Amino acid sequence: MTPRLLVLDAATETLHLGLCRGDRAWVRALPGGALASSALLPALMALLAEARLGLRDLDAIGCGRGPGAFTGVRAACAVTQGLAFGAGRPVLMLDTLMAVAEDARRQGAADELWVAVDARMGEAYAARYRWADTGWTVLEPPALREPASLAARIAGEARPQQIAGSSLLAHAGAWAGLPGASWPDSAPRAAALLALARAAWARGEQVDAACALPLYVRDRVAQTTAERMALRQAQVTAQARGREPS
């Protein structure tokens, strides 16, 4: 049976939301960043309403765990936990950078590539992946990288490497002249998230809502009081929505 899945990622400046039911899919791309905490839950509820589904109609909720923007990743995990707890549904934790790789593959990228996403402060979140019929394999896990150093390393590879992600534009000088194709527009779009979620579901990777935890690769940055209050309110509201009749 084809699962009914809701997916979300708020690790970048854009909220990427998706829902699938059978062969049908609904997707959204909305402004994120500082708006992620307040915009995420209403957007998810609107998506469910459009598909005429309630939370208890879902089989699982897929969450982009990062790495990415601290506030966005935390908001995504908090909302996912609240909705999953309230609806009694499992969670699928998705690698945000792998979703970028999947998006690039859908645009025509090779089966092996680097992903480098702008991490601000002159740094990038980067990882290396390989695609096969069985799905994605992590060759090098997500880590915080200095773009120029990573570009120099990639330039020294025996054969040209393909690269995807927003770092290609944010740190254009570091990547200038690097051989190999690039996919700077790649992002953790909903179609890519849904593909990863379906594969994770088929492999039986569902976890309890308590395991909806962010992936951090940078030393912890303290939250402000306002951020903590906003995330707590988002989780409380999500739990209340999950208890409403479908």
Side-chain angles (χ1 to χ4, degrees):
M1 179 179 176
T2 305
R4 296 178 175 183
L5 304 173
L6 180 68
V7 297
L8 58 142
D9 188 288
T12 67
E13 290 298 314
T14 302
L15 292 176
H16 293 286
L17 316 174
L19 188 155
C20 65
R21 183 184 66 192
D23 294 332
R24 293 200 61 186
W26 294 260
V27 300
R28 291 285 185 279
L30 305 169
L35 301 175
S37 297
S38 59
L40 184 51
L41 188 57
L44 289 171
M45 294 299 105
L47 196 64
L48 284 163
E50 183 176 340
R52 297 183 180 180
L53 291 175
L55 286 166
R56 291 185 179 86
D57 296 321
L58 299 172
D59 291 298
I61 302 173
C63 176
R65 62 176 184 160
F70 284 101
T71 301
V73 172
R74 288 173 180 144
C77 290
V79 168
T80 297
Q81 280 190 332
L83 294 177
F85 273 130
R89 293 295 179 264
V91 170
L92 300 166
M93 297 308 293
L94 309 174
D95 179 340
T96 294
L97 300 188
M98 187 181 288
V100 177
E102 172 65 18
D103 188 61
R105 188 181 73 86
R106 289 166 173 262
Q107 296 181 45
D111 291 341
E112 183 175 319
L113 74 162
W114 278 92
V115 171
V117 173
D118 181 21
R120 303 295 179 88
M121 297 166 59
E123 296 173 311
Y125 298 119
R128 191 178 188 179
Y129 302 96
R130 177 183 294 140
W131 166 262
D133 291 340
T134 54
W136 286 100
T137 298
V138 179
L139 300 180
E140 297 200 31
L144 193 65
R145 306 273 189 168
E146 199 282 315
S149 297
L150 180 59
R153 176 190 162 183
I154 294 174
E157 296 281 345
R159 59 188 177 87
Q161 299 289 310
Q162 297 202 4
I163 306 133
S166 59
S167 175
L168 291 165
L169 296 178
H171 313 118
W175 299 104
L178 193 70
S182 63
W183 309 90
D185 185 48
S186 298
R189 292 186 172 89
L193 291 166
L194 285 170
L196 297 187
R198 289 189 189 99
W201 173 269
R203 292 191 298 266
E205 295 177 357
Q206 305 91 318
V207 298
D208 186 84
C211 297
L213 302 174
L215 172 64
Y216 295 133
V217 297
R218 172 181 273 156
D219 290 341
R220 188 176 185 278
V221 176
Q223 285 179 286
T224 65
T225 299
E227 286 175 331
R228 291 196 297 272
M229 292 177 64
L231 292 179
R232 176 57 182 163
Q233 183 59 49
Q235 190 170 18
V236 169
T237 304
Q239 290 174 328
R241 290 291 181 89
R243 290 191 290 269
E244 293 177 359
S246 301

